[in-house]
Amino acid sequence: MERIRVCVVGATGFAGIEVCRLVLGHPNMELAMATDRKEAGTRLDAVYPSFAGACDLELSLPEPDTIAQAADVAFLAVPHTASLALTPELLKRGVTVLDLSADYRLHDPEVYEQWYNTPHTSPELLSQTVYGLPELNRKGILALAERRAAGQAVLVSVPGCYPTATALAATPALSAGLAGSDLVIADAISGVSGAGRGANARTHYCHANESVEAYGVAKHRHTPEIEQTLSEVAGRQMNVVFTPHLAPLTRGLLSTVYLEAADGVTAEDVQAAYEARFANEPLVTVLPAGSMPSTSSVFGTARAQVGVALDARRRRTIIASCAIDNLGKGAAAQAVQNANIVLDLPELAGIDMPAPLV
Ligand SMILES: NC(=O)C1=CN([C@@H]2O[C@H](COP(=O)(O)OP(=O)(O)OC[C@H]3O[C@@H](n4cnc5c(N)ncnc54)[C@H](OP(=O)(O)O)[C@@H]3O)[C@@H](O)[C@H]2O)C=CC1
Ligand SMILES: CC(=O)N[C@@H](CCC(=O)OP(=O)(O)O)C(=O)O
């Protein structure tokens, strides 16, 4: 079978280089093009020496015509609003787009404008895209595969890292009707690569090392994305209080959610609901009762591990924790998982490895 030609836009970014790494090891894909504006003309392995011997590509400018000539599929690992400019240009040239930015995740363009402080310039695409969390939305992604098989370029909006882990942690409780209120509290911790390659005062080693801090408190832009997803799962408006934290890890993300338990819910009910919900999801492991996940167990992978408990002392509370790799299931590996589905390839092709020892 001929390899599918792939372009990674934003290839020198942390999410982009992880997509490149996965595509280079993918049995059905070929890394045909990698773009970067600042480093155009430089070899990718000059920016990332670990790619020496594995990739001799020279970085190109992200020009839609050039991308469309070189590739059938484009992963956009670029900041939000950058994708707004590129995506319509690539789709109309017949290129299928996996967008890792937030630009097409929110169904309501007004909510996007409110949280991203910029008007949405291609709202007509929002009804054509699908939110690419396969464990929640595989049917919608498969529908895109049918449209692509019929010759149409399609767009998958790949979820953010925090929304991915938080949705996987909360979904079984909500879909099983175990939550007694509309409030979900989510506390999450991310490694520094979540902030991207451009270090700043918050993410510079000397500030991030040996320190943990909450940020974006009561205003993080992932709040509406998480609320949108959990409300769809619950079938009613859910209200989310989301607090991210930065930890001195290169990569790794843990999201712990708290939901008031409905009357009569037992610890056994909760464990059974989580195990049943993800029983047929090879990338999601529900740990045995009493166990909680660690980010090292999913480092560098597309995998997620979930642990759940019931605190029955006073305000009976379901507590669930999900560990992912922010660049893996939180970004690049999930993007490849979506691409596999849309391209009618085995869903885990190129991404089913377990974590290495960190
Ligand atoms: N880091 C993470 O853990 C996660 C990131 N994401 C999302 O993935 C995307 C990339 O994130 P990340 O890799 O961390 O970011 P980085 O800042 O590390 O990389 C961004 C990349 O995009 C390129 N770029 C920037 N602006 C443009 C533009 N206008 N047109 C084309 N290319 C552009 C940059 O290179 P140059 O400017 O030279 O072209 C760079 O290669 C973001 O939307 C982010 O929110 C999603 C989930 C997790
Ligand atoms: C540690 C850190 O800074 N993390 C980033 C999350 C990156 C991400 O997932 O952003 P997208 O929604 O654009 O994909 C943040 O909090 O903004």
Side-chain angles (χ1 to χ4, degrees):
M1 176 184 180
E2 215 171 287
R3 285 174 180 260
I4 293 154
R5 301 174 305 149
V6 164
C7 173
V8 177
V9 180
T12 64
F14 286 162
I17 197 64
E18 182 70 356
V19 176
C20 290
R21 182 178 76 89
L22 294 174
V23 170
L24 285 169
H26 195 294
N28 313 104
M29 293 183 188
E30 172 203 349
L31 184 61
M33 182 177 174
T35 88
D36 187 280
R37 297 167 311 166
K38 291 189 288 293
E39 309 274 1
T42 311
R43 282 176 50 127
L44 186 60
D45 62 2
V47 184
Y48 285 90
S50 64
F51 277 59
C55 175
D56 59 4
L57 270 183
E58 193 177 279
L59 290 157
S60 312
L61 285 169
E63 287 163 351
D65 283 338
T66 321
I67 295 169
Q69 282 156 14
D72 311 296
V73 174
F75 290 89
L76 303 192
V78 297
H80 44 270
T81 74
S83 180
L84 285 179
L86 266 172
T87 296
E89 292 305 314
L90 294 175
L91 289 173
K92 71 182 176 191
R93 289 170 173 78
V95 180
T96 281
V97 173
L98 285 300
D99 180 21
L100 282 81
S101 85
D103 287 345
Y104 294 92
R105 295 180 197 151
L106 296 170
H107 304 331
D108 183 343
E110 287 180 14
V111 174
Y112 176 85
E113 182 165 351
Q114 179 193 343
W115 286 84
Y116 288 84
N117 304 315
T118 185
H120 203 292
T121 52
S122 48
E124 71 284 354
L125 292 179
L126 292 172
S127 60
Q128 299 170 33
T129 183
V130 163
Y131 189 68
L133 219 175
E135 289 76 13
L136 271 61
N137 203 10
R138 188 172 283 104
K139 262 176 70 179
I141 305 164
L142 284 168
L144 291 189
E146 283 177 26
R147 282 174 36 200
R148 189 176 186 277
Q152 191 181 347
V154 295
L155 166 62
V156 177
S157 184
V158 184
C161 47
Y162 286 123
T164 295
T166 306
L168 292 175
T171 286
L174 295 173
S175 55
L178 302 182
S181 83
D182 63 6
L183 176 65
V184 179
I185 294 173
D187 271 346
I189 299 180
S190 171
V192 177
S193 64
R197 189 170 169 234
N200 57 39
R202 188 165 62 90
T203 59
H204 187 290
Y205 177 81
C206 298
H207 295 290
N209 187 37
E210 295 298 323
S211 174
V212 179
E213 67 167 321
Y215 69 95
V217 179
K219 60 182 178 183
H220 194 279
R221 58 189 173 80
H222 280 164
T223 307
E225 182 179 338
I226 296 167
E227 252 173 21
Q228 173 181 281
T229 302
L230 297 188
S231 298
E232 285 173 7
V233 169
R236 68 181 194 274
Q237 181 61 50
M238 297 305 291
N239 297 299
V240 170
V241 176
F242 170 61
T243 306
H245 301 72
L246 184 72
L249 306 167
T250 295
R251 50 198 296 174
L253 191 149
L254 192 76
S255 185
T256 300
V257 299
Y258 306 81
L259 305 93
E260 185 180 334
D263 292 343
V265 168
T266 66
E268 293 70 23
D269 295 334
V270 173
Q271 182 69 27
Y274 275 72
E275 288 175 1
R277 180 61 181 78
F278 293 131
N280 301 316
E281 293 299 348
L283 290 179
V284 183
T285 300
V286 176
L287 298 176
S291 297
M292 283 293 161
S294 67
T295 58
S296 59
S297 302
V298 292
F299 181 93
T301 76
R303 297 181 182 281
Q305 293 197 1
V306 180
V308 65
L310 177 73
D311 179 344
R313 287 176 308 111
R314 289 195 177 85
R315 294 293 298 267
R316 299 157 48 74
T317 307
I318 297 166
I319 303 166
S321 194
C322 177
I324 62 172
D325 182 313
N326 55 290
L327 295 176
K329 180 61 177 174
Q334 181 147 256
V336 173
Q337 182 186 5
N338 277 286
N340 287 338
I341 299 171
V342 164
L343 298 170
D344 201 24
L345 298 171
E347 185 171 329
L348 303 190
I351 57 168
D352 59 356
M353 305 76 75
L357 179 65
V358 289

